[in-house]
Amino acid sequence: MVDWKAVGVGSLINAVLTIVLTISVFPLFFLGPLIGGLVATYIGSGDKKDAPVEGGLTGVIGGLIIGILFMAGFGALSAIIGLIFAKVGMVAGTMTLIAGLFITMVSIFLGGVLGVIGGFIGAEIRENGRKKVDIEN
């Protein structure tokens, strides 16, 4: 069963880390979904078989958050352009919508795939950590 609190935490980590890494160090943006999926499955109480689902959900929800923020940011920019230049405003609004949908779909797909990989890694870390503790006691 999916632990939705862990998925929510992983999604927020995914979105924030991806945005920060995209702005500061672009080639490392893929670490956001990986770490979000890893954290969600590591802190979650789900089974190991639920790890890819939890990781994938963190990637998809994080991708939606990124897409919404992207469209909101560029929507405000196109509104300002529309106030200044009336005819350019419609073109800017349409371009914003198309670019926003494209960025949202790409971030959902990449976030989902990388989240599943992070979910596998987090489940392995959690399971191997438990085995070592069991052996020591």
Side-chain angles (χ1 to χ4, degrees), residues 42 124-137:
Y42 186 76
E124 286 297 321
I125 291 172
R126 184 177 65 192
E127 290 298 315
N128 288 336
R130 286 185 185 160
K131 287 179 186 175
K132 290 180 182 177
V133 169
D134 291 339
I135 292 171
E136 291 176 0
N137 289 328

Side-chain angles (χ1 to χ4, degrees), residues 73-94:
F74 275 103
L77 182 64
S78 68
I80 292 170
I81 291 172
L83 289 174
I84 297 171
F85 307 107
K87 295 202 184 245
V88 178
M90 276 202 288
V91 174
T94 306

Side-chain angles (χ1 to χ4, degrees), residues 7 13 27 60 63 72-73 89 91 120-121:
V7 168
I13 291 172
V60 169
V91 174
F120 278 125
I121 294 169

Side-chain angles (χ1 to χ4, degrees), residues 23-103:
I23 292 170
S24 62
V25 187
F26 179 72
L28 297 178
F29 75 94
F30 68 91
L31 291 176
L34 280 175
I35 293 173
L38 187 144
V39 167
T41 56
Y42 186 76
I43 66 173
S45 61
D47 295 334
K48 188 175 179 179
K49 64 181 170 89
D50 294 331
V53 175
E54 288 180 356
L57 283 172
T58 61
V60 169
I61 294 171
L64 281 173
I65 293 170
I66 292 168
I68 289 169
L69 291 175
F70 181 82
M71 283 196 278
F74 275 103
L77 182 64
S78 68
I80 292 170
I81 291 172
L83 289 174
I84 297 171
F85 307 107
K87 295 202 184 245
V88 178
M90 276 202 288
V91 174
T94 306
M95 297 278 291
T96 299
L97 182 63
I98 292 170
L101 290 175
F102 179 74
I103 294 295

